[in-house]
Amino acid sequence: MPTPEILASNDALSANTSSPSKPTLNGHPPNGTSDRSQIINDEKQFIPNLNDQIAAWGLRDAGFDYNLVAVFGSQSTGKSTLLNRLFGTNFDVMDESKRQQTTKGIWMCRGRDMNVLVMDVEGTDGRERGEDQDFERKSALFSLASSEVLIVNLWEHQVGLYQGANMGLLKTVFEVNLGLFGKKTQESASQRTLLLFVIRDHIGTTPLANLQATVTSDLQRIWDTLSKPAELQDRKLTDYFDLSFTALPHKILAAERFESDIRALRGRFTDKSRDDFVFKPAYHKRIPADGVAFYMEGIWEQVQTNKDLDLPTQQELLAQFRCDEISAGALAEFNEQAKSQKRPIEAGQVISGLGEMMRSWRSQALSRYDRDASRYHQAVYKRKRADLVGTLDSTLSPLFVGQLKNLHKAALVSFKAEIVAGLKVDGYNFADVVSKARASAEALFSDGAREIVVVEDDATWQWEEELRLLREEIRSVADQLRKDETKKMVNTIERKFKTQIAEPVEVQLGSPTPEIWDNVLRTFKETLARSEASYLTKARSFDCTEEENDEALTTLRHRAWAALRVKIDEQTADAAILTKLRTYFEERFRYDEQGVPRVWKPDDDIDGAFKKAKDVTLELISLYAKIEPQDPELAYTPPEDVVEGTEAPGLVVFSETKVLELGARFRREADAHYVEAKRSTVASIAQIPYWIYGALVVLGWNEAMMILFNPLYVALLLVLAGGAWIIVQLNLAGPLMHVGSSIAFEVKRQAESRLREHFAEPLRAQAHATAIEDEDDTREVRHRKPEAL
Ligand SMILES: Nc1nc2c(ncn2[C@@H]2O[C@H](COP(=O)(O)OP(=O)(O)OP(=O)(O)O)[C@@H](O)[C@H]2O)c(=O)[nH]1
């Protein structure tokens, strides 16, 4: 409670202040008083800086924790003086010497050290305004719509003057009040206003109680004579107003008592514990402090345009405006927060702790809204809250969806990475690797998704569909991987198969027997069966479907057959098959049964042996021509369909034309052998028999003796011997020997070729005749079974 000195100094200060000083911290200038502010000016216009002023007074965030009091009364009745004393305000006080109206329009000021907004209303019945009752009515409406307590200030000598200015004013107040609160809606039912009569210059001769009775009966009379709407006929004055009376002594004549009484009266405004505390909750107009300015502006606008002042509508409008404002404030901060994570999410990042952040931003925004907006019209507050929730959620939803997408991607990446790592480990089980990778990828997604759910069991925050999509994608990736892996496995098995059959088939094809295809097919079937078994064993660990297994096995069979055929084709390629035929033929023609090389003698049956060997060899071509086992059990039907673009060849190794071609080629080679055989017999015939040398010795004996016993021949012999001795001495023996041997060789060569030519002519003609005969035979042999072999 301010001391009398302070109050006195306020009075002095206010007397000298004619213009508002600049607002300062918390609305309190350095001298300890709050700035006053004109809210309705002389031109009856609302001055729109009230909101800032309330903020400057430090009451903007007071909510309902403030009170509003207005003073009414005739001009120059000490209203401003009373307010300044009671509340420590600094309203203008009339200069004694001029005695003219000071307060114009409506002023407002914050009570010193109290959450009280005080309105100083221009005095009624003013000389300056003449008979203009318009402002009186408007200011009454304005004050009643917002104030809890209406101080009616009047001189003691005015009491009982029913026709006096105050009574006119009160009539206006009652009428206006009926218009405002008459209908008593549910909201306004409990709303009342306190009329606090302050009787000034109370001399004391008439006790306050008497004055109170007089005023009350006057009020009652005014109330009764008021023209009320039909539905409000039975309403009493006390339905709307509480009346309270107090008296103050003369300010100058009884200055001390004046001060002490005013201090006592102040207590009724500050001490909540007192029974006569004036600011009862029922009087509060329930306008939150941060909405007072807007509300008052709205009221004044309605009042100015002479429209019916509908308080509930005004309160709803105020609520809408303020709730929007509060919501926008909460949203601005929220948007800033949400924006910070927008880019990283759009860039594909998974933000850790995003859910926590989103929930906290959302609850911060809502609690900010609730704190300020819940004081307003409840229906509006709730509606706007729902709107705000919608906006918050629609801002968070893209973050949620974005994070889900990023989680989805991250889960897939982790799935693939885990599989790649798992497949590097020796002896992995594919199905195990996949199921582990799947479980951890799904857990990664689910945990992440669960974390970002902002509101449980709400359609906006559902992630099951995304999980379903992820599962589907994982499945298709796993399927693809399994297919790749299966392919790889089939390739490996195929390679192994090829190596396994290579050698045995090569050996089997190299040693032609009637069972050649039985052997080959047996090897093929056994190896294929092993390969299939090995596939199936592995496929189990792959979790392959029946269909996939069938497909893979078909491929395997196809490739196995193709591999066999490649091997067969390689072994029966022209050069290879001809070598085989030649070898086979030679083994039978050039070697005897014991495998000893034959030396043909002239009386040997070369033709017979040649024909036999040739025939059996030609039969081989038919044997090789088609893959046909002797044991029907071993028969194999090669796959017919085309797999992966490779056509599996059938059972035919050589076509008809090929058989003929090979036959012809072989025959040519065989002919050469035949010729060679024949020639070898001629060579043995061409040698000079040894007995010829004997005959020569016998027949030439006489001639030799004659030379030995003839001195001429002996002398010639000696000359030759001497010549020889000289040649040896001169080292000419070598060159002469060389010349001699060259001449001898040449003579021998010439002689041999002449002899060969002589014998060869008739043989070639004979061989040619045999060849033509054989060709006819081969044609028959080609289709014959090789039993004869
Ligand atoms: N006799 C008497 N004079 C007072 C009292 N209080 C104030 N005054 C004087 O009355 C004059 C008017 O005082 P204000 O406080 O300006 O009165 P007001 O009702 O606010 O006047 P307006 O604002 O012009 O309507 C001043 O000169 C005061 O000194 C009082 O209790 N008794």
Side-chain angles (χ1 to χ4, degrees), residues 74-81 92-96 99-103 120 123 153 155 200-201 249-252 258:
S74 311
Q75 276 174 27
S76 308
T77 47
K79 297 191 294 295
S80 304
T81 308
D92 281 354
V93 173
M94 192 186 86
D95 185 347
E96 295 284 357
R99 303 285 316 165
Q100 63 180 170
Q101 190 183 17
T102 322
T103 308
D120 192 2
N153 191 52
W155 300 120
R200 309 290 291 272
D201 285 1
H250 198 287
K251 181 188 161 234
I252 297 153
F258 177 80

PDB file of all heavy atoms in Angstrom, residues 74-81 92-96 99-103 120 123 153 155 200-201 249-252 258, ligand 1:
ATOM      1  N   SER A  74     -20.134  13.232 -12.497  1.00  0.00           N
ATOM      2  CA  SER A  74     -20.161  14.540 -13.148  1.00  0.00           C
ATOM      3  C   SER A  74     -18.735  15.055 -13.283  1.00  0.00           C
ATOM      4  O   SER A  74     -17.813  14.572 -12.619  1.00  0.00           O
ATOM      5  CB  SER A  74     -20.975  15.534 -12.307  1.00  0.00           C
ATOM      6  OG  SER A  74     -22.204  14.932 -11.959  1.00  0.00           O
ATOM      7  N   GLN A  75     -18.643  16.030 -14.133  1.00  0.00           N
ATOM      8  CA  GLN A  75     -17.335  16.650 -14.345  1.00  0.00           C
ATOM      9  C   GLN A  75     -16.822  17.316 -13.072  1.00  0.00           C
ATOM     10  O   GLN A  75     -17.590  17.805 -12.267  1.00  0.00           O
ATOM     11  CB  GLN A  75     -17.461  17.754 -15.394  1.00  0.00           C
ATOM     12  CG  GLN A  75     -17.384  17.246 -16.798  1.00  0.00           C
ATOM     13  CD  GLN A  75     -17.657  18.387 -17.759  1.00  0.00           C
ATOM     14  OE1 GLN A  75     -17.404  19.547 -17.437  1.00  0.00           O
ATOM     15  NE2 GLN A  75     -18.212  18.045 -18.907  1.00  0.00           N
ATOM     16  N   SER A  76     -15.525  17.317 -12.992  1.00  0.00           N
ATOM     17  CA  SER A  76     -14.820  18.052 -11.943  1.00  0.00           C
ATOM     18  C   SER A  76     -15.340  17.736 -10.547  1.00  0.00           C
ATOM     19  O   SER A  76     -15.569  18.622  -9.727  1.00  0.00           O
ATOM     20  CB  SER A  76     -14.928  19.572 -12.186  1.00  0.00           C
ATOM     21  OG  SER A  76     -14.521  19.853 -13.511  1.00  0.00           O
ATOM     22  N   THR A  77     -15.590  16.500 -10.312  1.00  0.00           N
ATOM     23  CA  THR A  77     -16.042  16.094  -8.974  1.00  0.00           C
ATOM     24  C   THR A  77     -14.918  15.361  -8.249  1.00  0.00           C
ATOM     25  O   THR A  77     -15.141  14.614  -7.306  1.00  0.00           O
ATOM     26  CB  THR A  77     -17.292  15.193  -9.049  1.00  0.00           C
ATOM     27  OG1 THR A  77     -17.057  14.197 -10.045  1.00  0.00           O
ATOM     28  CG2 THR A  77     -18.527  15.982  -9.378  1.00  0.00           C
ATOM     29  N   GLY A  78     -13.690  15.561  -8.760  1.00  0.00           N
ATOM     30  CA  GLY A  78     -12.538  14.940  -8.096  1.00  0.00           C
ATOM     31  C   GLY A  78     -12.349  13.476  -8.450  1.00  0.00           C
ATOM     32  O   GLY A  78     -11.751  12.698  -7.700  1.00  0.00           O
ATOM     33  N   LYS A  79     -12.822  13.062  -9.615  1.00  0.00           N
ATOM     34  CA  LYS A  79     -12.694  11.653 -10.027  1.00  0.00           C
ATOM     35  C   LYS A  79     -11.224  11.286 -10.202  1.00  0.00           C
ATOM     36  O   LYS A  79     -10.755  10.275  -9.659  1.00  0.00           O
ATOM     37  CB  LYS A  79     -13.439  11.401 -11.346  1.00  0.00           C
ATOM     38  CG  LYS A  79     -14.938  11.629 -11.284  1.00  0.00           C
ATOM     39  CD  LYS A  79     -15.626  11.116 -12.526  1.00  0.00           C
ATOM     40  CE  LYS A  79     -15.231  11.918 -13.781  1.00  0.00           C
ATOM     41  NZ  LYS A  79     -15.670  13.336 -13.747  1.00  0.00           N
ATOM     42  N   SER A  80     -10.525  12.101 -10.999  1.00  0.00           N
ATOM     43  CA  SER A  80      -9.111  11.811 -11.267  1.00  0.00           C
ATOM     44  C   SER A  80      -8.325  11.820  -9.966  1.00  0.00           C
ATOM     45  O   SER A  80      -7.457  10.954  -9.730  1.00  0.00           O
ATOM     46  CB  SER A  80      -8.532  12.841 -12.234  1.00  0.00           C
ATOM     47  OG  SER A  80      -9.302  12.872 -13.411  1.00  0.00           O
ATOM     48  N   THR A  81      -8.656  12.783  -9.097  1.00  0.00           N
ATOM     49  CA  THR A  81      -7.971  12.873  -7.812  1.00  0.00           C
ATOM     50  C   THR A  81      -8.173  11.574  -7.034  1.00  0.00           C
ATOM     51  O   THR A  81      -7.231  10.974  -6.509  1.00  0.00           O
ATOM     52  CB  THR A  81      -8.522  14.065  -7.003  1.00  0.00           C
ATOM     53  OG1 THR A  81      -8.456  15.214  -7.841  1.00  0.00           O
ATOM     54  CG2 THR A  81      -7.760  14.288  -5.725  1.00  0.00           C
ATOM     55  N   ASP A  92      -4.778  13.222 -15.263  1.00  0.00           N
ATOM     56  CA  ASP A  92      -4.772  14.695 -15.123  1.00  0.00           C
ATOM     57  C   ASP A  92      -5.800  15.149 -14.091  1.00  0.00           C
ATOM     58  O   ASP A  92      -6.920  14.653 -14.066  1.00  0.00           O
ATOM     59  CB  ASP A  92      -5.132  15.336 -16.473  1.00  0.00           C
ATOM     60  CG  ASP A  92      -3.934  15.348 -17.392  1.00  0.00           C
ATOM     61  OD1 ASP A  92      -2.835  14.978 -16.924  1.00  0.00           O
ATOM     62  OD2 ASP A  92      -4.096  15.687 -18.580  1.00  0.00           O
ATOM     63  N   VAL A  93      -5.358  16.063 -13.303  1.00  0.00           N
ATOM     64  CA  VAL A  93      -6.276  16.655 -12.308  1.00  0.00           C
ATOM     65  C   VAL A  93      -6.458  18.123 -12.678  1.00  0.00           C
ATOM     66  O   VAL A  93      -5.518  18.795 -13.110  1.00  0.00           O
ATOM     67  CB  VAL A  93      -5.684  16.514 -10.890  1.00  0.00           C
ATOM     68  CG1 VAL A  93      -6.538  17.260  -9.864  1.00  0.00           C
ATOM     69  CG2 VAL A  93      -5.604  15.040 -10.505  1.00  0.00           C
ATOM     70  N   MET A  94      -7.661  18.567 -12.529  1.00  0.00           N
ATOM     71  CA  MET A  94      -7.966  19.946 -12.940  1.00  0.00           C
ATOM     72  C   MET A  94      -7.145  20.966 -12.153  1.00  0.00           C
ATOM     73  O   MET A  94      -6.947  20.830 -10.956  1.00  0.00           O
ATOM     74  CB  MET A  94      -9.454  20.208 -12.723  1.00  0.00           C
ATOM     75  CG  MET A  94      -9.962  21.459 -13.350  1.00  0.00           C
ATOM     76  SD  MET A  94     -11.664  21.726 -12.881  1.00  0.00           S
ATOM     77  CE  MET A  94     -11.432  22.569 -11.336  1.00  0.00           C
ATOM     78  N   ASP A  95      -6.701  21.931 -12.935  1.00  0.00           N
ATOM     79  CA  ASP A  95      -5.983  23.031 -12.301  1.00  0.00           C
ATOM     80  C   ASP A  95      -7.015  23.902 -11.576  1.00  0.00           C
ATOM     81  O   ASP A  95      -7.982  24.377 -12.178  1.00  0.00           O
ATOM     82  CB  ASP A  95      -5.272  23.833 -13.418  1.00  0.00           C
ATOM     83  CG  ASP A  95      -4.403  24.934 -12.844  1.00  0.00           C
ATOM     84  OD1 ASP A  95      -4.553  25.216 -11.644  1.00  0.00           O
ATOM     85  OD2 ASP A  95      -3.589  25.482 -13.616  1.00  0.00           O
ATOM     86  N   GLU A  96      -6.831  24.066 -10.277  1.00  0.00           N
ATOM     87  CA  GLU A  96      -7.801  24.785  -9.432  1.00  0.00           C
ATOM     88  C   GLU A  96      -8.154  26.158  -9.994  1.00  0.00           C
ATOM     89  O   GLU A  96      -9.302  26.577  -9.958  1.00  0.00           O
ATOM     90  CB  GLU A  96      -7.226  24.963  -8.011  1.00  0.00           C
ATOM     91  CG  GLU A  96      -7.022  23.675  -7.243  1.00  0.00           C
ATOM     92  CD  GLU A  96      -8.305  23.094  -6.700  1.00  0.00           C
ATOM     93  OE1 GLU A  96      -9.367  23.714  -6.872  1.00  0.00           O
ATOM     94  OE2 GLU A  96      -8.260  21.993  -6.117  1.00  0.00           O
ATOM     95  N   ARG A  99     -10.542  25.938 -13.373  1.00  0.00           N
ATOM     96  CA  ARG A  99     -11.834  25.299 -13.168  1.00  0.00           C
ATOM     97  C   ARG A  99     -12.504  24.920 -14.488  1.00  0.00           C
ATOM     98  O   ARG A  99     -13.617  25.286 -14.774  1.00  0.00           O
ATOM     99  CB  ARG A  99     -12.798  26.192 -12.355  1.00  0.00           C
ATOM    100  CG  ARG A  99     -12.355  26.655 -11.024  1.00  0.00           C
ATOM    101  CD  ARG A  99     -12.356  25.690  -9.902  1.00  0.00           C
ATOM    102  NE  ARG A  99     -13.499  24.829  -9.744  1.00  0.00           N
ATOM    103  CZ  ARG A  99     -13.428  23.763  -8.964  1.00  0.00           C
ATOM    104  NH1 ARG A  99     -12.314  23.458  -8.310  1.00  0.00           N
ATOM    105  NH2 ARG A  99     -14.465  22.988  -8.812  1.00  0.00           N
ATOM    106  N   GLN A 100     -11.773  24.240 -15.321  1.00  0.00           N
ATOM    107  CA  GLN A 100     -12.425  23.752 -16.542  1.00  0.00           C
ATOM    108  C   GLN A 100     -12.158  22.253 -16.732  1.00  0.00           C
ATOM    109  O   GLN A 100     -11.220  21.722 -16.149  1.00  0.00           O
ATOM    110  CB  GLN A 100     -11.951  24.549 -17.761  1.00  0.00           C
ATOM    111  CG  GLN A 100     -10.485  24.372 -18.014  1.00  0.00           C
ATOM    112  CD  GLN A 100      -9.989  25.160 -19.234  1.00  0.00           C
ATOM    113  OE1 GLN A 100      -8.815  25.238 -19.429  1.00  0.00           O
ATOM    114  NE2 GLN A 100     -10.843  25.759 -20.012  1.00  0.00           N
ATOM    115  N   GLN A 101     -12.975  21.656 -17.527  1.00  0.00           N
ATOM    116  CA  GLN A 101     -12.919  20.191 -17.711  1.00  0.00           C
ATOM    117  C   GLN A 101     -11.521  19.727 -18.126  1.00  0.00           C
ATOM    118  O   GLN A 101     -10.897  20.318 -18.973  1.00  0.00           O
ATOM    119  CB  GLN A 101     -13.921  19.787 -18.792  1.00  0.00           C
ATOM    120  CG  GLN A 101     -14.105  18.294 -18.885  1.00  0.00           C
ATOM    121  CD  GLN A 101     -15.055  17.946 -20.029  1.00  0.00           C
ATOM    122  OE1 GLN A 101     -15.306  18.771 -20.919  1.00  0.00           O
ATOM    123  NE2 GLN A 101     -15.594  16.750 -19.980  1.00  0.00           N
ATOM    124  N   THR A 102     -11.042  18.690 -17.430  1.00  0.00           N
ATOM    125  CA  THR A 102      -9.691  18.200 -17.708  1.00  0.00           C
ATOM    126  C   THR A 102      -9.735  16.915 -18.536  1.00  0.00           C
ATOM    127  O   THR A 102      -9.057  16.785 -19.540  1.00  0.00           O
ATOM    128  CB  THR A 102      -8.962  17.894 -16.397  1.00  0.00           C
ATOM    129  OG1 THR A 102      -9.330  18.874 -15.465  1.00  0.00           O
ATOM    130  CG2 THR A 102      -7.469  17.890 -16.597  1.00  0.00           C
ATOM    131  N   THR A 103     -10.558  15.964 -18.040  1.00  0.00           N
ATOM    132  CA  THR A 103     -10.560  14.650 -18.703  1.00  0.00           C
ATOM    133  C   THR A 103     -11.485  14.671 -19.910  1.00  0.00           C
ATOM    134  O   THR A 103     -12.680  14.916 -19.787  1.00  0.00           O
ATOM    135  CB  THR A 103     -11.003  13.563 -17.705  1.00  0.00           C
ATOM    136  OG1 THR A 103     -10.193  13.686 -16.544  1.00  0.00           O
ATOM    137  CG2 THR A 103     -10.860  12.182 -18.297  1.00  0.00           C
ATOM    138  N   ASP A 120     -10.427   6.265 -16.564  1.00  0.00           N
ATOM    139  CA  ASP A 120     -10.954   7.579 -16.158  1.00  0.00           C
ATOM    140  C   ASP A 120     -11.825   8.060 -17.307  1.00  0.00           C
ATOM    141  O   ASP A 120     -11.345   8.315 -18.407  1.00  0.00           O
ATOM    142  CB  ASP A 120      -9.764   8.536 -15.927  1.00  0.00           C
ATOM    143  CG  ASP A 120     -10.198   9.818 -15.232  1.00  0.00           C
ATOM    144  OD1 ASP A 120     -11.408   9.931 -14.904  1.00  0.00           O
ATOM    145  OD2 ASP A 120      -9.338  10.692 -15.033  1.00  0.00           O
ATOM    146  N   GLY A 123     -16.233  13.199 -17.608  1.00  0.00           N
ATOM    147  CA  GLY A 123     -17.395  13.455 -16.756  1.00  0.00           C
ATOM    148  C   GLY A 123     -18.641  13.798 -17.550  1.00  0.00           C
ATOM    149  O   GLY A 123     -18.568  14.333 -18.650  1.00  0.00           O
ATOM    150  N   ASN A 153     -18.987   8.503  -8.708  1.00  0.00           N
ATOM    151  CA  ASN A 153     -18.457   9.555  -7.845  1.00  0.00           C
ATOM    152  C   ASN A 153     -19.490  10.680  -7.758  1.00  0.00           C
ATOM    153  O   ASN A 153     -19.952  11.188  -8.781  1.00  0.00           O
ATOM    154  CB  ASN A 153     -17.145  10.052  -8.487  1.00  0.00           C
ATOM    155  CG  ASN A 153     -16.359  10.952  -7.574  1.00  0.00           C
ATOM    156  OD1 ASN A 153     -16.104  10.586  -6.434  1.00  0.00           O
ATOM    157  ND2 ASN A 153     -15.977  12.128  -8.060  1.00  0.00           N
ATOM    158  N   TRP A 155     -20.965  14.206  -5.182  1.00  0.00           N
ATOM    159  CA  TRP A 155     -20.891  15.039  -3.978  1.00  0.00           C
ATOM    160  C   TRP A 155     -22.027  14.666  -3.049  1.00  0.00           C
ATOM    161  O   TRP A 155     -23.076  14.247  -3.500  1.00  0.00           O
ATOM    162  CB  TRP A 155     -21.022  16.524  -4.311  1.00  0.00           C
ATOM    163  CG  TRP A 155     -19.963  17.107  -5.253  1.00  0.00           C
ATOM    164  CD1 TRP A 155     -20.216  17.674  -6.449  1.00  0.00           C
ATOM    165  CD2 TRP A 155     -18.569  17.196  -5.016  1.00  0.00           C
ATOM    166  NE1 TRP A 155     -19.068  18.125  -7.032  1.00  0.00           N
ATOM    167  CE2 TRP A 155     -18.005  17.820  -6.138  1.00  0.00           C
ATOM    168  CE3 TRP A 155     -17.708  16.811  -3.983  1.00  0.00           C
ATOM    169  CZ2 TRP A 155     -16.658  18.091  -6.260  1.00  0.00           C
ATOM    170  CZ3 TRP A 155     -16.384  17.098  -4.131  1.00  0.00           C
ATOM    171  CH2 TRP A 155     -15.838  17.708  -5.249  1.00  0.00           C
ATOM    172  N   ARG A 200     -18.550  12.120  -1.953  1.00  0.00           N
ATOM    173  CA  ARG A 200     -17.455  13.040  -1.645  1.00  0.00           C
ATOM    174  C   ARG A 200     -17.922  14.189  -0.776  1.00  0.00           C
ATOM    175  O   ARG A 200     -19.104  14.528  -0.735  1.00  0.00           O
ATOM    176  CB  ARG A 200     -16.866  13.582  -2.945  1.00  0.00           C
ATOM    177  CG  ARG A 200     -16.500  12.529  -3.981  1.00  0.00           C
ATOM    178  CD  ARG A 200     -15.295  11.705  -3.536  1.00  0.00           C
ATOM    179  NE  ARG A 200     -14.083  12.513  -3.530  1.00  0.00           N
ATOM    180  CZ  ARG A 200     -13.279  12.683  -4.570  1.00  0.00           C
ATOM    181  NH1 ARG A 200     -13.553  12.047  -5.678  1.00  0.00           N
ATOM    182  NH2 ARG A 200     -12.200  13.452  -4.476  1.00  0.00           N
ATOM    183  N   ASP A 201     -16.951  14.731  -0.139  1.00  0.00           N
ATOM    184  CA  ASP A 201     -17.197  15.887   0.765  1.00  0.00           C
ATOM    185  C   ASP A 201     -18.299  15.587   1.787  1.00  0.00           C
ATOM    186  O   ASP A 201     -19.228  16.367   2.014  1.00  0.00           O
ATOM    187  CB  ASP A 201     -17.572  17.145  -0.046  1.00  0.00           C
ATOM    188  CG  ASP A 201     -16.345  17.754  -0.719  1.00  0.00           C
ATOM    189  OD1 ASP A 201     -15.241  17.176  -0.551  1.00  0.00           O
ATOM    190  OD2 ASP A 201     -16.466  18.781  -1.409  1.00  0.00           O
ATOM    191  N   PRO A 249     -14.396  12.333   3.347  1.00  0.00           N
ATOM    192  CA  PRO A 249     -14.537  13.713   3.836  1.00  0.00           C
ATOM    193  C   PRO A 249     -13.924  14.710   2.850  1.00  0.00           C
ATOM    194  O   PRO A 249     -13.328  14.317   1.848  1.00  0.00           O
ATOM    195  CB  PRO A 249     -13.755  13.694   5.148  1.00  0.00           C
ATOM    196  CG  PRO A 249     -12.833  12.540   5.043  1.00  0.00           C
ATOM    197  CD  PRO A 249     -13.424  11.568   4.106  1.00  0.00           C
ATOM    198  N   HIS A 250     -14.070  15.947   3.183  1.00  0.00           N
ATOM    199  CA  HIS A 250     -13.580  17.017   2.311  1.00  0.00           C
ATOM    200  C   HIS A 250     -12.068  16.923   2.198  1.00  0.00           C
ATOM    201  O   HIS A 250     -11.371  16.761   3.186  1.00  0.00           O
ATOM    202  CB  HIS A 250     -14.003  18.394   2.900  1.00  0.00           C
ATOM    203  CG  HIS A 250     -13.939  19.494   1.899  1.00  0.00           C
ATOM    204  ND1 HIS A 250     -12.754  20.028   1.450  1.00  0.00           N
ATOM    205  CD2 HIS A 250     -14.932  20.192   1.243  1.00  0.00           C
ATOM    206  CE1 HIS A 250     -12.994  20.987   0.575  1.00  0.00           C
ATOM    207  NE2 HIS A 250     -14.333  21.105   0.427  1.00  0.00           N
ATOM    208  N   LYS A 251     -11.610  17.024   0.976  1.00  0.00           N
ATOM    209  CA  LYS A 251     -10.186  16.819   0.721  1.00  0.00           C
ATOM    210  C   LYS A 251      -9.332  17.896   1.367  1.00  0.00           C
ATOM    211  O   LYS A 251      -8.231  17.634   1.850  1.00  0.00           O
ATOM    212  CB  LYS A 251      -9.947  16.820  -0.787  1.00  0.00           C
ATOM    213  CG  LYS A 251      -8.509  16.596  -1.201  1.00  0.00           C
ATOM    214  CD  LYS A 251      -8.336  16.798  -2.694  1.00  0.00           C
ATOM    215  CE  LYS A 251      -6.872  17.036  -3.048  1.00  0.00           C
ATOM    216  NZ  LYS A 251      -6.653  18.235  -3.791  1.00  0.00           N
ATOM    217  N   ILE A 252      -9.863  19.096   1.386  1.00  0.00           N
ATOM    218  CA  ILE A 252      -9.044  20.190   1.916  1.00  0.00           C
ATOM    219  C   ILE A 252      -9.391  20.475   3.379  1.00  0.00           C
ATOM    220  O   ILE A 252      -8.523  20.588   4.238  1.00  0.00           O
ATOM    221  CB  ILE A 252      -9.217  21.448   1.049  1.00  0.00           C
ATOM    222  CG1 ILE A 252      -8.688  21.111  -0.376  1.00  0.00           C
ATOM    223  CG2 ILE A 252      -8.445  22.650   1.598  1.00  0.00           C
ATOM    224  CD1 ILE A 252      -9.310  21.916  -1.467  1.00  0.00           C
ATOM    225  N   PHE A 258      -9.364  12.593   5.086  1.00  0.00           N
ATOM    226  CA  PHE A 258      -9.521  12.258   3.671  1.00  0.00           C
ATOM    227  C   PHE A 258      -8.476  11.209   3.264  1.00  0.00           C
ATOM    228  O   PHE A 258      -8.801  10.189   2.679  1.00  0.00           O
ATOM    229  CB  PHE A 258      -9.375  13.539   2.828  1.00  0.00           C
ATOM    230  CG  PHE A 258      -9.435  13.313   1.343  1.00  0.00           C
ATOM    231  CD1 PHE A 258     -10.668  13.152   0.684  1.00  0.00           C
ATOM    232  CD2 PHE A 258      -8.278  13.261   0.576  1.00  0.00           C
ATOM    233  CE1 PHE A 258     -10.708  12.951  -0.675  1.00  0.00           C
ATOM    234  CE2 PHE A 258      -8.317  13.063  -0.778  1.00  0.00           C
ATOM    235  CZ  PHE A 258      -9.551  12.900  -1.429  1.00  0.00           C
TER     236      PHE A 258
HETATM  237  N1  LIG B   1     -13.978  20.036  -2.511  1.00  0.00           N
HETATM  238  C1  LIG B   1     -13.224  19.066  -3.000  1.00  0.00           C
HETATM  239  N2  LIG B   1     -12.491  19.360  -4.020  1.00  0.00           N
HETATM  240  C2  LIG B   1     -11.756  18.334  -4.542  1.00  0.00           C
HETATM  241  C3  LIG B   1     -11.781  17.081  -3.987  1.00  0.00           C
HETATM  242  N3  LIG B   1     -10.959  16.319  -4.718  1.00  0.00           N
HETATM  243  C4  LIG B   1     -10.456  17.069  -5.681  1.00  0.00           C
HETATM  244  N4  LIG B   1     -10.919  18.291  -5.587  1.00  0.00           N
HETATM  245  C5  LIG B   1     -10.651  19.314  -6.464  1.00  0.00           C
HETATM  246  O1  LIG B   1     -11.610  19.356  -7.476  1.00  0.00           O
HETATM  247  C6  LIG B   1     -11.040  19.765  -8.701  1.00  0.00           C
HETATM  248  C7  LIG B   1     -11.351  18.814  -9.778  1.00  0.00           C
HETATM  249  O2  LIG B   1     -10.645  17.661  -9.535  1.00  0.00           O
HETATM  250  P1  LIG B   1     -10.422  16.579 -10.598  1.00  0.00           P
HETATM  251  O3  LIG B   1      -9.801  15.435  -9.905  1.00  0.00           O
HETATM  252  O4  LIG B   1      -9.750  17.110 -11.783  1.00  0.00           O
HETATM  253  O5  LIG B   1     -11.901  16.257 -10.956  1.00  0.00           O
HETATM  254  P2  LIG B   1     -12.480  15.473 -12.169  1.00  0.00           P
HETATM  255  O6  LIG B   1     -13.818  14.966 -11.785  1.00  0.00           O
HETATM  256  O7  LIG B   1     -11.483  14.443 -12.489  1.00  0.00           O
HETATM  257  O8  LIG B   1     -12.589  16.527 -13.256  1.00  0.00           O
HETATM  258  P3  LIG B   1     -12.747  16.322 -14.851  1.00  0.00           P
HETATM  259  O9  LIG B   1     -11.773  15.308 -15.153  1.00  0.00           O
HETATM  260  O10 LIG B   1     -12.491  17.583 -15.456  1.00  0.00           O
HETATM  261  O11 LIG B   1     -14.115  15.810 -15.030  1.00  0.00           O
HETATM  262  C8  LIG B   1      -9.589  19.920  -8.436  1.00  0.00           C
HETATM  263  O12 LIG B   1      -9.248  21.258  -8.309  1.00  0.00           O
HETATM  264  C9  LIG B   1      -9.338  19.213  -7.156  1.00  0.00           C
HETATM  265  O13 LIG B   1      -8.318  19.757  -6.359  1.00  0.00           O
HETATM  266  C10 LIG B   1     -12.563  16.853  -2.850  1.00  0.00           C
HETATM  267  O14 LIG B   1     -12.624  15.769  -2.292  1.00  0.00           O
HETATM  268  N5  LIG B   1     -13.304  17.909  -2.385  1.00  0.00           N
END
